Amino acid sequence: NAGVTQTPKFRVLKTGQSMTLLCAQDMNHEYMYWYRQDPGMGLRLIHYSVGEGTTAKGEVPDGYNVSRLKKQNFLLGLESAAPSQTSVYFCASSSGGKVNTEAFFGQGTRLTVV
Amino acid sequence: GDSVTQMEGPVTLSEEAFLTINCTYTATGYPSLFWYVQYPGEGLQLLLKATKADDKGSNKGFEATYRKETTSFHLEKGSVQVSDSAVYFCALSAAMDSNYQLIWGAGTKLIIKP
């Protein structure tokens, strides 16, 4: 079972470069999320989507853009990378926005901006 | 706003020791509470959850009880193993834009020595 798959797993960027992180899920989930994980700060929500063609801002959206053209894919873009965006990025999906809904996570992408 | 506070790590124990990882929360309404675990090099996965006051979630020998009077959801295990070494995250579901989102604690790294 693939679940949630993120590509790439590792990436090093120079300041000012752009890149796109891809997240794919095969569970037919409506909701998808992008988080960043920084030491001592837990996970912070960047953007999320409640269905194909929709996106919404999370807690820390600045410097990122997202798209959900297909239900199974959720793309995270960095237009002009900055060292402050060095982090581990996790994609997650869930079946809905109910209070007790479980989220399923990908393995993460470790991004370093130099 | 809603928040989750976990005890700082790392927590280092010997095999077969008793484990407690403290988690307290601040929330309006009636959130669900979760513990997720992140093994080295992997994404997060749900360990257990509780959806209302006095509920006990349990899985793989771990337990946590939803205590509304003390706003706590402490994780416990009677006898830890080396394989339990991981980072543990406490989270709650919070209402956001007519949906629910997960609010995360900072994570507690657990190291079990043989």
Side-chain angles (χ1 to χ4, degrees):
Chain A
N1 294 334
V4 179
T5 303
Q6 292 181 231
T7 53
K9 289 184 171 51
F10 302 94
R11 186 73 186 268
V12 178
L13 284 181
K14 293 183 178 179
T15 297
Q17 286 185 320
S18 63
M19 78 164 294
T20 300
L21 282 66
L22 172 63
C23 177
Q25 53 96 3
D26 62 2
M27 295 173 282
N28 201 35
H29 284 166
E30 290 292 337
Y31 287 60
M32 295 187 75
Y33 313 84
W34 276 108
Y35 292 94
R36 59 179 289 171
Q37 182 184 27
D38 300 296
M41 300 188 72
L43 278 73
R44 293 182 292 170
L45 183 64
I46 305 171
H47 286 281
Y48 66 100
S49 168
V50 301
E52 181 179 314
T54 75
T55 63
K57 294 180 179 180
E59 180 185 357
V60 288
D62 293 342
Y64 305 94
N65 57 76
V66 289
S67 64
R68 183 101 181 267
L69 298 180
K70 293 183 178 180
K71 185 177 183 178
Q72 63 268 34
N73 295 337
F74 195 30
L75 278 63
L76 178 70
L78 286 73
E79 290 188 348
S80 180
S84 61
Q85 295 178 304
T86 293
S87 188
V88 181
Y89 292 86
F90 285 100
C91 177
S93 71
S94 72
S95 59
K98 295 181 180 179
V99 67
N100 59 355
T101 301
E102 174 186 356
F104 294 81
F105 284 80
Q107 289 191 317
T109 297
R110 184 174 295 276
L111 174 66
T112 302
V113 183
V114 297
Chain B
D2 296 355
S3 65
V4 175
T5 302
Q6 287 181 237
M7 62 189 293
E8 289 191 22
V11 173
T12 303
L13 296 172
S14 297
E15 206 166 20
E16 300 184 359
F18 184 86
L19 168 71
T20 301
I21 299 178
N22 291 336
C23 172
T24 57
Y25 68 91
T26 302
T28 55
Y30 302 95
S32 290
L33 301 173
F34 304 81
W35 276 102
Y36 280 77
V37 58
Q38 182 181 26
Y39 297 105
E42 299 184 9
L44 284 74
Q45 57 186 274
L46 180 67
L47 180 61
L48 55 84
K49 69 179 181 182
T51 58
K52 61 183 187 295
D54 299 326
D55 266 3
K56 178 185 284 187
S58 61
N59 186 24
K60 299 182 180 180
F62 290 90
E63 294 183 339
T65 301
Y66 189 161
R67 301 287 188 198
K68 190 170 174 64
E69 64 277 12
T70 55
T71 61
S72 64
F73 193 54
H74 304 322
L75 182 68
E76 296 182 336
K77 186 175 185 182
S79 177
V80 293
Q81 306 300 314
V82 172
S83 57
D84 293 327
S85 297
V87 181
Y88 293 80
F89 291 91
C90 185
L92 67 80
S93 61
M96 181 187 297
D97 298 334
S98 75
N99 296 303
Y100 288 92
Q101 302 290 351
L102 290 170
I103 305 297
W104 298 88
T108 302
K109 185 173 184 178
L110 175 64
I111 301 169
I112 307 299
K113 295 186 174 182

